[in-house]
Amino acid sequence: MHFTICHELDAPVDAVELAVLSPELGPRLATKVASLESVVTVEHALRDGELLRVLRFQASAPLPIFASYPVAKDAMSWEERSTYRLSDHAATWQVSPKEQWRSYFRSAGTYRLERLPQGRTRRRVEGDLEIRLRLLGPLVERMALAEVQRTYDAEADTLRELLSA
């Protein structure tokens, strides 16, 4: 399933970029999304105009469709690895669940900051989400995408907070 999520921010690209690069972004995000137990920064390294960031996410509960099933805690944990390039204000990202769950899940995409008139910025996230489960796959994908949308909405709010700090 392909998706695009956009948010507009009332700040210039350079200011938004500093917020995106902030090591506080991941930990602050965890406090804003009820379905997340934690977001831990595993790696945050800025070298040669690129930020390599690895965030480890731990969900607090499985998707509602799995609430009556015993879902292993590590099935609700994943890492997001992104490489943000200062030169084009863009990143590529990939989500990796624990090894034993990778055959069921795949997600990757791009993250871009775009200049808008009047010194504003659009943050555009595009990606693909694939959940390979017999019969339930499409339904679970839609539910997972709703969580992805909530998470990026919360990230936009977190960026606004970092901009005003």
Side-chain angles (χ1 to χ4, degrees):
M1 172 181 295
H2 185 77
F3 65 88
T4 301
I5 300 170
C6 294
H7 289 94
E8 293 189 7
L9 303 161
D10 293 326
V13 166
D14 295 339
V16 174
E17 187 167 68
L18 285 175
V20 167
L21 297 174
S22 173
E24 294 181 41
L25 184 60
R28 280 192 183 205
L29 179 61
T31 67
K32 297 193 173 309
V33 182
S35 61
L36 291 176
E37 183 177 298
S38 65
V39 179
V40 175
T41 303
V42 175
E43 187 168 355
H44 189 274
L46 184 59
R47 286 189 287 277
D48 301 324
E50 291 187 345
L51 172 68
L52 170 62
R53 176 170 28 217
V54 179
L55 298 175
R56 181 174 300 131
F57 292 78
Q58 178 64 57
S60 54
L63 290 171
I65 195 169
F66 297 120
S68 62
Y69 296 94
V71 177
K73 187 168 178 120
D74 67 349
M76 301 183 305
S77 178
W78 63 93
E79 287 187 354
E80 179 187 278
R81 177 181 206 85
S82 62
T83 303
Y84 185 89
R85 294 168 307 286
L86 295 170
S87 62
D88 59 354
H89 311 293
T92 53
W93 56 266
Q94 181 175 347
V95 174
S96 298
K98 299 276 186 172
E99 183 68 39
Q100 64 268 36
W101 308 110
R102 289 188 186 158
S103 63
Y104 301 104
F105 178 87
R106 187 189 68 76
S107 188
T110 59
Y111 184 111
R112 179 174 306 279
L113 300 179
E114 302 167 349
R115 291 182 201 280
L116 295 175
Q118 287 88 40
R120 300 179 75 237
T121 301
R122 176 181 299 120
R123 191 226 22 212
R124 177 186 307 270
V125 181
E126 292 191 48
D128 292 293
L129 172 69
E130 181 183 6
I131 297 178
R132 293 178 293 277
L133 292 174
R134 215 178 252 164
L135 301 174
L136 293 177
L139 175 62
V140 175
E141 277 181 355
R142 287 192 300 277
M143 294 176 80
L145 186 54
E147 288 298 320
V148 168
Q149 177 73 52
R150 278 190 277 281
T151 302
Y152 278 114
D153 290 347
E155 183 187 273
D157 290 341
T158 304
L159 289 171
R160 289 181 183 102
E161 283 180 7
L162 289 168
L163 287 163
S164 65

